[in-house]
Amino acid sequence: ILTIFPEGTVGSANPQWISFCCAPNDQTIAGTNIFEDTFVKELQIEPLIRETLLGTPFETDAHFFRNGTDQYVHLRGTPISGKEGKVRQILVTAEDITKRKKLELEASNYTKDLETRITSRTKDLEAKVAELEQFQRVTVDREIRMTELKQQVERMRIKLKECGVTLEEDSHEPK
């Protein structure tokens, strides 16, 4: 939690905020100018803080790099107004969402991997289906041709019988 006065001076920061933004030996940032803060610049939230000082709240996720790892934080800025309606200070809260973001990234990578596998397997199945369709066309064409040949042989047999030629049953050769 961080409080900021209208001129940009930090009113207070709790230990969690300090652990996010400051070097390990820093104990407080109270009294410093928030717009000169390197952490605020790193998070790129200076414009959001300025808008909140004018009365517009904000909510955003931000990414930063600490201790050799990626870190993620969810930030909310809320203006606190006095009786006259002017912003007296703003309250900025930060929630560490690193675990959630890493799980979302892991889920996203897993989804992409599954989509890649599905695409690959779909292509394999489409190739097998095309192969089976080709095989079916060849076998059906063969069966049709065999049926046509049998019909043609039967017509020739009938013509030969009409001409007086008799055939042996086993050899199908004329006598």
Side-chain angles (χ1 to χ4, degrees), residues 20 39 42-43 63-72:
F20 277 145
F39 186 61
E42 183 180 3
L43 296 179
H63 169 256
F64 62 100
F65 195 72
R66 285 289 182 276
N67 302 322
T69 61
D70 288 311
Q71 301 290 313
Y72 298 89

Side-chain angles (χ1 to χ4, degrees), residues 76-101:
R76 288 182 190 91
T78 307
I80 300 171
S81 301
K83 292 179 184 178
E84 67 283 347
K86 284 188 164 190
V87 175
R88 291 183 331 171
Q89 66 179 342
I90 66 169
L91 178 70
V92 180
T93 60
E95 175 186 0
D96 185 354
I97 58 169
T98 302
K99 288 180 183 177
R100 184 185 87 200
K101 284 291 189 179

